[in-house]
Amino acid sequence: MPNAPNLNQLLLASNDWLAAEILKGVQRSTYSSLTPAQARLLAIMAGQSASISDLARRLGLSRQAVHKTVSELERRGILQVKTDPERANAKLVSYTQLGKEVNRAGARIIDDIEIKIAKRIGKQGVDQLKLLLANTLG
């Protein structure tokens, strides 16, 4: 009998499944032209402003790679980059009005995925999973 997957394998597989479901949702949406990298950056921002350095750290990418993705989203009118009022030498990335609409659309995609998972493990199971992960990661 093969070994059961360990926690790392299960979390990685779950993350891959979730990323694929999000991408399917984005492709069916009005914002289907978003690339996976752009969608991931917006997801990491989670509706909040952030510095390019912070985004790079959280994404595990170079500042240059993040800057390129942010610049693409800025050209599309989804994000804006301004000088950070607290640190004059840093840039702060935030949502435009269109970006807020994109973020709300992303939240609806996540809600739909949670409903899909709840059909498998129940709403209580989803709530418990979220609580367990929040307590573990927080």
Side-chain angles (χ1 to χ4, degrees):
M1 177 170 160
N3 291 339
N6 65 37
L7 182 60
N8 183 52
Q9 293 165 329
L10 290 169
L11 288 172
L12 287 171
S14 296
N15 185 61
D16 289 347
W17 177 84
L18 182 61
E21 289 297 307
I22 291 169
L23 187 57
K24 284 186 218 172
V26 168
Q27 290 170 339
R28 287 190 301 263
S29 77
T30 309
Y31 308 105
S32 60
S33 61
L34 286 175
T35 67
Q38 292 169 343
R40 185 160 186 253
L41 184 137
L42 293 171
I44 290 291
M45 287 183 67
Q48 304 296 312
S49 298
S51 70
I52 289 180
S53 295
D54 183 46
L55 291 170
R57 181 183 50 75
R58 290 164 54 198
L59 288 163
L61 300 171
S62 70
R63 285 184 357 191
Q64 293 81 1
V66 171
H67 188 272
K68 180 181 179 203
T69 303
V70 166
S71 293
E72 292 166 1
L73 290 167
E74 188 176 25
R75 276 192 298 279
R76 297 180 63 187
I78 295 170
L79 295 178
Q80 59 187 352
V81 180
K82 295 183 178 178
T83 300
D84 187 334
E86 295 178 14
R87 300 179 319 176
N89 63 338
K91 298 293 183 188
L92 194 62
V93 180
S94 59
Y95 290 87
T96 62
Q97 194 57 43
L98 174 60
K100 290 175 184 176
E101 292 173 24
V102 172
N103 187 55
R104 285 190 294 274
R108 287 189 297 274
I109 291 169
I110 298 299
D111 289 344
D112 290 345
I113 293 169
E114 286 188 19
I115 290 167
K116 191 175 202 176
I117 296 169
K119 287 179 181 176
R120 294 180 184 176
I121 66 172
K123 180 171 179 352
Q124 186 176 5
V126 171
D127 292 342
Q128 184 177 13
L129 177 61
K130 288 164 70 174
L131 181 64
L132 289 168
L133 289 170
N135 288 337
T136 302
L137 304 173

